[in-house]
Amino acid sequence: MAPFEAFYGRRCRSPIGWFEVGEAELLGPDLVHHAMEKVKVIQERMKTARSHQKSYADVRRRELEFQVDDWVFLKVVVDPSVIVPIGDIEVSEELSYEEIPVAILDRQVRKLRSKEISFVKVLWQNQQVEEATWETEEEMRKKYPHLFE
């Protein structure tokens, strides 16, 4: 059974098979003309459906206006314990900020065929323990030597 047939409970009908079983077979230009008519019907129905959806959405939509210093809530699926006060983070003009490592939580050596690579689990400022990341020890020693004292 084809996936389309399993999902929709009927066979997939290609543009060649849009007519019902038992209808006279169309050949050449008649087949193209018949297919174009079917495409026009489909386009009209899609336009109607889009119009209904738009009118339904427009009735319920309202314009929101905000002033400077207004407080807004964003609907985000997030753990409330992760929320950090914005005053604690220094944001640059490019709307980015630098993560600062706070501590090394764990060490691990990964063995490849010909060498071993040392990794450290780094706890970053403004992050929870669950968001700690594994970084190469070599890079961390170069950038943040104070963590290894």
Side-chain angles (χ1 to χ4, degrees):
M1 178 181 288
F4 185 91
E5 187 176 355
F7 189 73
Y8 291 105
R10 59 183 171 82
R11 290 183 42 216
C12 178
R13 293 169 55 185
S14 67
I16 294 172
W18 280 345
F19 43 85
E20 294 297 325
V21 177
E23 288 183 7
E25 291 186 23
L26 302 172
L27 298 173
D30 292 337
L31 176 65
V32 173
H33 180 68
H34 184 70
M36 287 175 59
E37 288 176 359
K38 291 288 188 178
V39 168
K40 285 181 183 177
V41 169
I42 291 169
Q43 287 175 336
E44 288 173 10
R45 289 181 182 170
M46 287 178 67
K47 186 176 179 182
T48 303
R50 216 174 7 250
S51 173
H52 286 291
Q53 291 171 350
K54 183 181 181 329
S55 63
Y56 180 82
D58 286 347
V59 168
R60 285 150 185 80
R61 182 173 291 128
R62 58 190 166 110
E63 290 297 319
L64 299 175
E65 293 184 14
F66 299 104
Q67 304 297 324
V68 176
D69 292 333
D70 280 354
W71 287 77
V72 296
F73 288 99
L74 300 177
K75 185 176 182 179
V76 180
V77 180
V78 68
D79 180 13
S81 67
V82 178
I83 297 172
V84 178
I86 193 71
D88 296 349
I89 301 173
E90 294 181 26
V91 180
S92 70
E93 291 181 12
E94 295 87 31
L95 298 179
S96 63
Y97 68 96
E98 181 182 355
E99 284 283 4
I100 301 169
V102 176
I104 293 177
L105 303 177
D106 196 6
R107 285 186 159 72
Q108 184 180 50
V109 177
R110 295 186 187 165
K111 297 180 181 181
L112 302 177
R113 291 183 188 195
S114 61
K115 64 180 178 179
E116 294 180 351
I117 303 174
S118 298
F119 285 90
V120 289
K121 191 171 187 178
V122 181
L123 175 63
W124 300 93
Q125 184 180 14
N126 303 321
Q127 300 292 330
Q128 301 292 327
V129 174
E130 294 81 21
E131 283 92 26
T133 59
W134 287 97
E135 308 291 337
T136 58
E137 185 173 350
E138 182 181 343
E139 281 293 315
M140 293 305 291
R141 279 191 188 275
K142 285 180 191 174
K143 291 182 179 178
Y144 311 102
H146 66 277
L147 291 174
F148 296 90
E149 295 171 351

